[in-house]
Amino acid sequence: NAGVTQTPKFRVLKTGQSMTLLCAQDMNHEYMYWYRQDPGMGLRLIHYSVGEGTTAKGEVPDGYNVSRLKKQNFLLGLESAAPSQTSVYFCASSSGLVYGYTFGSGTRLTVV
Amino acid sequence: AQSVTQLGSHVSVSEGALVLLRCNYSSSVPPYLFWYVQYPNQGLQLLLKYTTGATLVKGINGFEAEFKKSETSFHLTKPSAHMSDAAEYFCAVREGDYKLSFGAGTTVTVRA
């Protein structure tokens, strides 16, 4: 039982390049989330989804897009990467807030 | 709106000493409260949670927390620190029906 799997684990991008981060969960969870973690700022919500085909903006959505075409996958895209997007990105999933979240192991992204 | 305040970004304790991490929250709905732990270069793991019922909740690795409605607090404690408790700890509160809001985190260092 893999839980929440994020790929890739590490990536270095040049300013202006694009990339997609993949999150996959095998727990049949309805809700999925993308957070970024920066020192001293905790976790900030980028986008989230409450079901297949739905997405919603979080606290810091600018510069990112998401898609949830299949229930088990949640993709985070950066169309034109900027140094300010250097961060650790975490995906999480949940079957309901009463249970909390299950987190992936993170993607460390550096934009140079 | 919901928010979480963790008092102290860094806590240093001696091995065998009490660990106390403070969390205060604001919430316009009955709170669901969580503590997560993050070891270096890993994702977040659920330590414990309060949703309803008993206000003193026990979690993994000997941690416990008490929900105090009158003080809007959910402080995390462990009677005797172990070297393996060195990590970053996050308090979280539910925000509406679908999201959690996280505190900025507290880094725990354990001195031998």
Side-chain angles (χ1 to χ4, degrees), chain A residues 39-61:
Chain A
M41 305 189 74
L43 283 86
R44 294 182 292 169
L45 182 63
I46 304 171
H47 287 280
Y48 65 102
S49 168
V50 299
E52 180 178 314
T54 75
T55 63
K57 293 181 179 179
E59 182 183 354
V60 289

Side-chain angles (χ1 to χ4, degrees), chain A residues 14-86:
Chain A
K14 294 183 178 179
T15 298
Q17 286 185 321
S18 64
M19 78 164 294
T20 300
L21 282 66
L22 172 63
C23 177
Q25 54 97 0
D26 61 2
M27 298 169 288
N28 202 35
H29 286 174
E30 285 293 335
Y31 310 153
M32 296 187 75
Y33 311 85
W34 277 107
Y35 284 86
R36 61 177 289 173
Q37 183 180 27
D38 302 290
M41 305 189 74
L43 283 86
R44 294 182 292 169
L45 182 63
I46 304 171
H47 287 280
Y48 65 102
S49 168
V50 299
E52 180 178 314
T54 75
T55 63
K57 293 181 179 179
E59 182 183 354
V60 289
D62 294 343
Y64 305 95
N65 57 76
V66 288
S67 65
R68 183 122 182 248
L69 298 180
K70 294 183 178 181
K71 185 177 183 178
Q72 64 267 34
N73 296 335
F74 195 30
L75 279 63
L76 178 70
L78 286 72
E79 291 186 347
S80 180
S84 60
Q85 294 177 304
T86 293

